[in-house]
């Protein structure tokens, strides 16, 4: 059956003004056909696609206007302009006997999911993919209007950490009634419009019969070579109590908790990226490095997450969750490393095998209390406990020699945090916000390197022995207090003044010890040769800021100036340093809002970043089997200038979203690694560097839906200029990379749906003496087909091609998977047969850059896995 198009304009019958976001619904007289709908754009234009030959009852509705009804038989394309009459009595009540599929209210878009789903959907991700303007990638990240969703709520309450992955992959599809997209989300209502919020939230509303009901599903499976999976999801919702449990036990290489989830637990990527120091510290810690690994030779994962919310009263909520994960993982990488210095370049072949035994538990408890309509109190307690053990081997070959290292790493970590937020609106003109955080961290990483060959000669004072057994013990403890007090003064609807006072106080201790454990059971302590550190570090940032925000036509402008008084000092054996500096740091934002769905935003910010405690170490510190580090107690601060320009356009009417962004960062003063390179062995001293370094990036995201086909184009480019300090030579390096992806997706109701695309990623890394070119390309195709009502077929295929142009190396590998799911309508039971990595590929290839090191890397991946699964829906 073909389609015809009915189009035209919706206007006010009196003033002939266009009526944006008018809902036009077409109800077929034949109940076997689907309801069709359209929504008018900002010019009042609408396009309604109808099935040919069907007669429809069409309802047109707009808030404050009388509804319009008429019948239309879809025989051919036609034009029909719609005129709505204002209501004469505002108190007149109109009861609609239907739900509007899409409703737009200021910063909120509401989707009635029944208008878009067919009933075959299993999880929330499949529902979201069918909603206009929403996208879900294969990892579970959600974008709405071309922007990433940063928070997921269920019934207005944060779901676990708020990260989208746990929600979209586990909430059953048949319990969802509405999906609400909340732009500029703020959990405290009266702060909306005062605090600048980049939050884009997704609020999932449940069907009425699920709001006091237990539901969920259970999946168990087994496969060849003793593969297994057990995956229960249990949910209970009532007006007073919510309980969610998600479990996962598998040896298929599937991780239920990722680095993105961990960043969300610590405040979210958006909040962390505004604090560069905290983001770098968090993303580079031992726990984050493990979570970032996604490729394994083997993996056993044990995961459990429990979320409980209890409404004590109409004004008080208690919400808590616990996430626990244990895993046993084996990884393998083969690296061809090219070292570049002023004397030329040389290569190293390195094979690394590691066996991880990891456990962590995360917990959060929140008390939200609404003192009254104008005051809100929130108290949050966080805890993180981790214990990670790694046993591995390193085989390194260079200059005709090979050395094997056996490595042991044992990392324990404790993180406690207490946070308090208080907000009070004294009047329409005055609002006060207070946030205070107390944190305590203790980290104890211990490392062992064993080999029968000498290494780091001239850097490490080894004593000749049959086996060289080097032990490193470190302990890092920090206690911090942060407080920010902010006053919002609303002069009128067009002018605001914000005043900020805050302080950040950190007390940190760092201890390191290295020694050689001899076969004779005696100890060669390296502290007599300049190793071993004991540092007491204190840092304080007290700041005062003044911001002025005004509205002029389509422009919202906010300019600010922040005065910071920084004091930092450290005490080490025989050394005491004291530093202080003052800085005026400007910030400037301007946004042009052409309409609700089209914006242009410019931002400028200046930041300071201070050395981490390990960079201040006055004595030597063993970095790895081939590096020794030396800090400088007198290191000063780094300074950054950040500029960004972003354009957003979104249209439900045209099925269009467009995001374009440009970013420029300039570092005028930085802490650099000054490296002495002798073969693969490195001596690294941290030093201040005053030459400016620049980085540029651009991103492009375009999506357009035409009928049942959606076209998506994505691009990203990076250009980085930075200095390399190697062997007393200073050289300027350049790295450039481009990533371009184009794909087509289909949204048929009764035919197979395909997603087909191609990604091309060239990159260049240039030094004073060399230039290296790499190209990664990927063709991909995904199939999703529901047939015979009860069968659901999914398939995926990727062809990856990697080229190292300088070395004339090419590697091509194909990855494919397929699954067939069967569930009879109205039956709670389902069965599935699936296979991943059909071609049994064992390695994938990629490349990385650093100051002087270019690495061409093979990484082992999980083998082919064939599974039979049985599921039961509660």
């Amino acid at each position: 059956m073909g389609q015809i198009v009915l189009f035209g304009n919706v206007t006010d019958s009196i003033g002939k003004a266009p009526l944006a976001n008018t809902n036009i619904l077409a109800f077929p007289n034949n109940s076997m056909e689907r309801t069709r709908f359209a929504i008018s754009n900002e010019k009042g234009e609408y396009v309604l696609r109808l099935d040919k030959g069907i007669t429809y009852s069409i309802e047109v509705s707009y808030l404050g206007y009388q509804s319009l009804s008429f019948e239309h038989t879809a025989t051919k394309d036609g034009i029909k302009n719609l005129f709505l009459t204002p209501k004469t009595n505002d108190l007149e009540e109109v009861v609609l006997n239907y739900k509007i599929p899409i409703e737009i209210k200021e910063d909120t878009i509401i989707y009635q999911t029944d208008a878009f789903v067919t009933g075959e959907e299993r999880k929330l991700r499949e529902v979201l993919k069918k909603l206009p303007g929403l996208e879900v990638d294969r990892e579970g990240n959600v974008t709405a209007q071309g922007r990433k969703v940063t928070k997921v709520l269920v019934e207005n309450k944060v779901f676990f950490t708020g990260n989208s992955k746990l929600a979209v992959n586990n909430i059953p599809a048949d319990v969802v009634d509405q999906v609400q997209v909340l732009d500029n989300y703020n959990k405290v209502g009266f702060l909306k419009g005062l605090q600048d919020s980049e939050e884009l939230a997704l609020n999932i509303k449940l069907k009425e019969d699920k709001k006091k009901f237990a539901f969920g599903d259970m999946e168990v499976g087994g496969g060849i070579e003793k593969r297994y999976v057990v995956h229960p999801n249990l949910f209970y919702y009532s007006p007073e109590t919510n309980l969610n449990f998600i479990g996962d036990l598998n040896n298929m290489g599937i991780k239920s908790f990722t680095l993105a989830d961990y960043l969300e637990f610590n405040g979210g990527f958006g909040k962390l990226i505004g604090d560069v120091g905290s983001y770098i510290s968090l993303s580079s810690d031992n726990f984050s490095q493990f979570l970032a690994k996604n490729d394994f030779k083997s993996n056993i994962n044990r995961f459990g997450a429990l979320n409980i919310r209890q409404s004590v009263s109409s004004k008080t909520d208690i919400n808590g969750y616990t996430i626990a994960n244990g895993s046993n993982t084996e990884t393998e990488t083969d690296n061809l490393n090219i070292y570049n210095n002023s004397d030329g370049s040389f290569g190293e072949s390195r094979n690394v095998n590691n066996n991880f035994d990891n456990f962590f538990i995360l917990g959060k408890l929140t008390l939200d209390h609404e003192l009254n309509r104008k005051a809100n109190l929130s108290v949050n307690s966080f805890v993180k406990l981790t214990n990670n053990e790694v046993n591995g081997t390193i085989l390194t070959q260079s200059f005709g020699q090979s050395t094997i290292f056996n490595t042991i790493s044992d990392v324990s970590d404790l993180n406690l945090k207490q946070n308090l937020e208080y907000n009070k609106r004294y009047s329409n003109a005055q609002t006060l916000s207070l946030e205070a955080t107390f944190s305590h961290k203790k980290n104890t990483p211990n490392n062992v390197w064993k080999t029968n060959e000498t290494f780091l000669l001239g850097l490490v004072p080894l004593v000749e022995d049959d086996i060289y057994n080097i032990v490193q013990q470190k302990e890092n403890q920090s206690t911090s207090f942060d407080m920010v007090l902010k006053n919002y003064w609303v002069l009128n609807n067009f002018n605001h003044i914000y005043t900020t006072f805050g302080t950040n106080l950190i007390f940190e201790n760092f201890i390191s010890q290295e020694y050689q454990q001899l076969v004779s059971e005696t100890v060669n302590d390296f502290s007599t040769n300049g190793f071993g550190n004991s540092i007491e570090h204190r840092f304080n940032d007290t700041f005062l800021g003044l911001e002025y925000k005004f509205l002029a036509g389509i422009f919202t402008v906010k300019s600010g100036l922040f005065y910071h008084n920084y004091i930092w000092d450290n005490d080490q054996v025989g050394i005491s340093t004291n530093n202080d500096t003052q800085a005026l740091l400007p910030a400037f934002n301007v946004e042009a809002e052409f309409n609700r769905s089209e914006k242009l935003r410019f931002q400028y910010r200046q930041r300071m970043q201070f050395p981490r405690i390990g960079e201040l170490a006055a004595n030597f510190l063993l970095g790895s089997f081939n590096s020794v580090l030396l800090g400088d107690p007198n290191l000063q601060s780094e300074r950054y200038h950040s500029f960004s320009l972003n354009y957003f356009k979104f249209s439900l009417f045209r099925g269009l979203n467009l995001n374009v962004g440009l970013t420029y960062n300039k570092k005028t003063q930085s802490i650099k690694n000054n490296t002495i390179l002798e073969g693969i062995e490195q001596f690294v001293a941290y030093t201040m560097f005053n030459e400016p370094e620049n980085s540029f990036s651009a991103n492009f995201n375009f999506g357009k839906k035409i009928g049942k086909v959606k076209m998506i184009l994505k691009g990203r480019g990076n250009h980085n200029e930075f200095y390399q300090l190697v062997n007393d030579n200073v050289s300027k390096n350049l790295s450039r990379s481009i990533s371009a992806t184009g794909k087509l997706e289909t949204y048929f109701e009764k035919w197979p749906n395909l997603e087909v695309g191609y990604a091309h990623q060239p990159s260049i890394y240039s030094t004073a003496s060399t230039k290296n070119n790499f190209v990664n390309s990927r063709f991909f195709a995904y199939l999703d087909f529901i047939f015979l009502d009860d069968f659901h077929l999914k398939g995926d295929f990727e062809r990856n091609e990697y080229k190292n142009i300088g070395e004339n190396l090419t590697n091509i590998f194909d990855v494919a998977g397929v699954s067939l799911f069967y569930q009879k309508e109205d039956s709670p039971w389902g069965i599935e047969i699936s296979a991943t990595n059909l071609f049994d590929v064992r390695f994938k290839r990629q490349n990385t850059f650093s100051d002087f090191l270019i690495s061409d890397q093979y990484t082992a991946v999980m083998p082919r896995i064939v599974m039979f699964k049985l599921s039961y829906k509660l």
Side-chain angles (χ1 to χ4, degrees):
M1 182 184 296
Q3 284 194 331
I4 66 97
V5 175
L6 183 68
F7 60 96
N9 293 277
V10 186
T11 58
D12 183 316
S13 63
I14 298 176
K16 300 298 186 290
L19 299 179
N21 302 322
T22 300
N23 281 271
I24 304 102
L25 285 91
F27 300 97
N29 291 350
N30 180 355
S31 61
M32 300 298 292
E33 303 296 330
R34 295 196 65 187
T35 299
R36 303 296 177 181
F37 75 94
I39 187 168
S40 64
N41 66 3
E42 63 274 5
K43 297 179 181 179
E45 300 168 333
Y46 77 93
V47 175
L48 183 61
R49 302 183 186 277
L50 304 173
D51 292 325
K52 191 172 183 178
I54 304 298
T55 299
Y56 293 87
S57 296
I58 297 180
E59 300 275 352
V60 185
S61 60
Y62 188 81
L63 186 64
Y65 287 76
Q66 296 179 17
S67 61
L68 174 67
S69 302
F70 62 93
E71 283 205 352
H72 180 79
T73 300
T75 56
K76 62 180 180 178
D77 294 347
I79 300 175
K80 186 173 182 62
N81 294 320
L82 307 174
F83 305 98
L84 299 186
T85 303
K87 293 178 183 176
T88 56
N89 182 0
D90 290 339
L91 298 179
E92 180 182 351
E93 181 179 358
V94 177
V95 178
L96 300 177
N97 57 6
Y98 57 85
K99 291 182 178 181
I100 298 173
I102 301 178
E103 193 173 358
I104 301 177
K105 299 178 179 179
E106 296 183 350
D107 290 339
T108 302
I109 301 176
I110 302 172
Y111 298 89
Q112 298 290 341
T113 58
D114 284 348
F116 303 94
V117 299
T118 59
E120 289 92 353
E121 299 79 12
R122 295 177 63 190
K123 297 294 182 182
L124 175 60
R125 67 155 50 241
E126 294 165 295
V127 175
L128 297 181
K129 286 183 71 104
K130 296 186 176 182
L131 303 183
L134 270 68
E135 296 177 24
V136 185
D137 66 18
R138 296 179 68 79
E139 286 73 38
N141 300 304
V142 182
T143 57
Q145 307 167 30
R147 294 166 51 204
K148 183 177 179 180
V149 169
T150 57
K151 192 78 68 179
V152 175
L153 317 169
V154 175
E155 289 293 322
N156 305 311
K157 306 297 181 182
V158 175
F159 186 77
F160 284 96
T161 67
N163 185 268
S164 62
K165 180 183 175 183
L166 286 178
V168 303
N169 291 332
N170 294 286
I171 294 178
D174 61 351
V175 305
V176 180
D177 182 44
Q178 282 185 2
V179 173
Q180 301 175 351
V181 178
L182 312 175
D183 198 4
N184 301 315
Y185 171 74
N186 195 312
K187 69 176 183 179
V188 182
F190 58 78
L191 291 179
K192 192 176 177 72
L194 298 177
Q195 286 185 346
D196 292 329
S197 173
E198 298 294 325
E199 295 270 25
L200 184 65
L202 211 63
N203 185 30
I204 309 302
K205 304 291 287 186
L206 303 177
K207 294 179 179 178
E208 285 299 323
D209 61 348
K210 303 297 182 182
K211 289 187 178 181
K212 194 172 184 179
F213 195 75
F215 58 90
D217 53 45
M218 178 75 175
E219 181 184 70
V220 296
I224 59 175
E225 297 184 3
K226 299 181 180 180
R227 301 293 178 184
Y228 58 83
V229 61
V230 179
H231 186 56
N233 299 314
L234 300 173
F235 306 90
Y236 173 77
Y237 278 87
S238 74
E240 298 80 22
T241 305
N242 297 348
L243 188 149
N244 311 300
F245 173 76
I246 298 172
D248 188 25
L249 173 64
N250 76 84
N251 63 353
M252 301 167 58
I254 300 173
K255 289 170 61 176
S256 299
F257 194 82
T258 66
L259 180 59
D261 300 315
Y262 179 48
L263 295 177
E264 193 65 44
F265 175 81
N266 285 273
F269 179 80
K271 186 174 181 180
L272 285 167
I273 205 66
D275 182 356
V276 177
S278 295
Y279 174 72
I280 293 175
S281 176
L282 187 68
S283 59
S284 61
D285 68 19
N286 300 86
F287 185 53
S288 294
Q289 295 302 304
F290 163 72
L291 291 177
K293 295 182 183 299
N294 293 309
D295 296 306
F296 321 102
K297 286 181 68 175
S298 67
N299 173 263
I300 299 173
N301 189 68
R302 301 171 293 275
F303 176 85
L306 178 66
N307 185 194
I308 301 175
R309 182 190 66 83
Q310 180 66 46
S311 292
V312 180
S313 68
S314 60
K315 295 185 176 182
T316 305
D317 271 7
I318 297 177
N319 186 27
Y321 67 77
T322 299
I323 297 174
N325 195 102
S327 63
N328 300 98
T329 302
E330 183 181 357
T331 65
E332 181 181 0
T333 59
D334 281 302
N335 298 276
L336 174 60
N337 297 324
I338 304 297
Y339 294 79
N340 295 295
N341 59 44
S342 58
D343 300 324
S345 61
F346 58 89
E348 175 209 10
S349 175
R350 185 185 301 181
N351 174 270
V352 180
N353 280 273
N354 282 314
N355 288 281
F356 296 85
D357 184 359
N358 295 282
F359 174 79
F360 70 82
I361 184 168
L362 309 175
K364 178 182 179 182
L365 182 65
T366 299
L367 170 68
D368 286 317
H369 180 60
E370 184 180 334
L371 301 170
N372 53 56
R373 291 179 59 250
K374 296 183 178 181
N376 173 275
L377 175 68
S378 180
V379 181
N380 303 280
S381 298
F382 307 82
V383 62
K384 179 186 78 172
L385 290 168
T386 68
N387 185 44
N388 305 318
E389 297 180 4
V390 188
N391 288 273
T393 60
I394 301 172
L395 169 62
T396 173
Q397 297 174 301
S398 60
F399 300 105
Q401 296 181 339
S402 63
T403 305
I404 297 177
F405 290 87
N406 294 311
T407 63
I408 301 173
S409 178
D410 184 358
V411 182
S412 297
D413 185 76
L414 169 66
N415 188 346
L416 303 172
K417 187 186 296 183
Q418 185 69 48
N419 172 265
L420 181 144
E421 297 179 41
Y422 175 73
N423 304 285
K424 183 172 177 60
R425 187 174 189 176
Y426 291 93
S427 66
N428 290 336
Q430 295 289 337
T431 301
L432 186 71
S433 180
L434 170 68
E435 181 173 359
T437 302
F438 174 82
S439 175
H440 177 74
K441 302 176 183 179
K442 182 178 180 181
N443 181 263
T444 55
N446 298 315
N447 299 293
V448 176
W449 296 273
K450 291 183 180 181
T451 182
N452 59 0
E453 301 284 344
T454 58
F455 64 102
L456 291 173
L457 291 178
L459 296 175
V460 175
L462 296 177
V463 172
E464 187 175 349
D465 204 357
D466 294 332
I467 298 294
Y468 295 94
N469 184 2
I470 309 304
V471 179
Q472 180 185 61
Q473 296 175 333
K474 295 189 290 185
E475 180 178 291
N476 190 4
Q477 289 196 62
S478 68
T479 301
S480 64
F481 173 76
D482 297 89
M483 188 273 291
V484 177
L485 181 66
K486 190 161 188 173
N487 175 258
Y488 303 90
W489 182 15
V490 179
L491 301 176
N492 51 50
N493 289 338
F494 302 97
N495 297 273
H496 296 185
I497 293 177
Y498 304 152
T499 306
T500 305
F501 171 77
T503 187
N504 172 217
L505 186 62
I506 301 174
F507 299 93
E508 190 169 11
N509 296 321
F510 176 77
I511 298 172
S512 68
Q513 180 185 17
E514 288 93 355
Y515 59 89
Q516 178 183 359
Q517 182 71 56
L518 300 174
V519 174
S520 62
E521 299 187 357
T522 59
V523 170
N524 171 25
D525 192 345
F526 293 173
S527 63
T528 58
N529 288 272
F531 280 81
N533 290 276
S534 178
I535 310 173
E536 293 182 4
H537 178 56
R538 293 164 293 278
F539 175 83
N540 178 235
D541 170 21
T542 302
F543 57 92
L544 181 66
L546 183 65
E547 298 170 285
Y548 174 52
K549 181 178 180 181
F550 66 90
L551 178 65
I554 65 171
F555 294 97
T556 301
V557 181
K558 187 173 77 169
S559 57
L561 194 62
F562 292 82
Y563 172 79
H564 289 258
N565 183 52
Y566 299 103
I567 301 172
W568 71 102
D569 56 72
N570 63 86
D571 294 325
Q572 305 185 47
V573 178
I575 300 175
S576 181
T577 60
N578 299 279
N579 300 275
D580 67 87
T581 189
Q582 293 75 41
L584 279 173
L585 303 181
F588 179 75
N589 301 326
V590 59
E591 181 178 286
E593 185 172 1
F594 305 106
N595 52 59
R596 290 181 180 176
S597 59
E598 186 177 12
K599 299 177 182 179
L600 180 67
R601 180 182 301 149
F602 172 78
Q603 294 179 309
Y604 166 72
R605 188 173 176 184
Q606 196 174 137
R607 296 184 177 96
M608 305 278 282
Q609 186 177 329
F610 290 80
R612 288 174 284 174
I613 193 167
E615 297 171 333
L616 299 171
N619 287 338
F620 299 121
L621 181 68
L622 197 56
S624 68
F625 75 94
N626 69 330
S627 67
V628 173
L629 313 176
L630 179 64
D632 182 354
N634 297 302
L635 289 177
Q636 301 298 301
S637 61
E638 299 180 294
R639 187 181 289 256
Y640 296 81
H641 299 267
S642 298
F643 303 82
S644 66
L645 181 66
N646 294 278
Y647 174 75
F648 310 92
K649 183 174 178 60
F650 171 72
S651 173
L652 275 175
F653 170 76
R654 299 184 185 278
L656 169 73
N657 68 267
L658 173 64
N659 290 344
V660 181
L662 298 171
T663 302
Y664 168 61
N665 291 305
K666 183 174 184 177
K667 190 186 295 187
T668 56
Q669 183 172 285
S670 59
I671 298 173
K672 300 289 290 183
N673 294 353
N674 189 358
T675 304
I676 301 299
L677 194 59
E678 183 70 32
I680 68 168
E681 296 181 341
Q682 310 157 32
F683 172 66
V684 179
Y686 299 108
T687 185
M688 295 305 303
F689 189 74
N690 294 316
E691 291 292 331
E693 296 180 320
N694 302 294
S695 66
F696 305 84
S697 66
N699 64 81
F700 174 84
N701 189 341
F702 172 80
K704 172 68 176 175
K705 189 173 183 181
I706 303 174
K708 299 294 185 180
V709 179
K710 185 173 184 179
M711 176 179 65
I712 296 174
L713 297 174
K714 294 182 179 181
R716 184 171 184 85
N718 293 284
H719 176 97
N720 298 306
E721 301 170 356
F722 60 95
Y723 286 91
Q724 167 186 299
L725 284 65
V726 177
N727 292 349
D728 296 325
N729 289 291
V730 178
S731 61
K732 191 173 185 178
N733 292 357
L734 172 68
S735 70
R736 288 198 300 262
S737 63
I738 296 174
S739 173
T741 303
K743 66 178 181 179
L744 294 174
E745 298 179 18
T746 64
Y747 292 85
F748 300 118
E749 294 176 10
K750 299 179 180 179
W751 297 98
N753 282 301
L754 289 171
E755 178 182 338
V756 181
Y758 179 76
H760 188 66
Q761 298 174 310
S763 56
I764 299 174
Y765 185 84
S766 300
T767 69
S769 58
T770 62
K771 185 176 182 179
N772 297 270
N773 291 5
F774 302 90
V775 177
N776 289 279
S777 58
R778 180 171 65 100
F779 169 79
F780 55 91
Y782 307 116
L783 169 70
D784 193 322
F785 182 31
I786 297 172
F787 61 98
L788 300 179
D789 294 330
D790 301 323
F791 291 88
H792 193 167
L793 175 67
K794 290 184 178 182
D796 60 86
F797 172 79
E798 291 186 9
R799 162 155 287 199
N800 295 270
E801 182 175 357
Y802 169 84
K803 291 183 178 180
N804 183 333
I805 296 176
E807 299 293 327
N808 197 28
L809 296 174
T810 299
N811 177 249
I812 298 175
F813 62 93
D814 298 330
V815 179
V818 64
S819 72
L820 179 63
F821 178 78
Y822 172 77
Q823 184 172 28
K824 193 171 180 59
E825 187 176 1
D826 299 327
S827 171
W829 294 96
I831 58 174
E832 181 179 6
I833 299 174
S834 67
T836 58
N837 193 4
L838 281 174
F839 304 118
D840 204 24
V841 174
R842 295 305 177 100
F843 286 89
K844 73 175 188 180
R845 197 166 182 176
Q846 59 190 5
N847 58 273
T848 59
F849 312 123
S850 66
D851 284 359
F852 53 82
L853 180 64
I854 300 170
S855 182
D856 194 342
Q857 185 177 86
Y858 284 87
T859 303
V861 297
M862 296 286 290
R864 180 192 300 119
I865 297 175
V866 179
M867 296 289 293
F868 176 82
K869 302 176 188 176
L870 181 67
S871 64
Y872 181 81
K873 182 180 293 186
L874 301 177

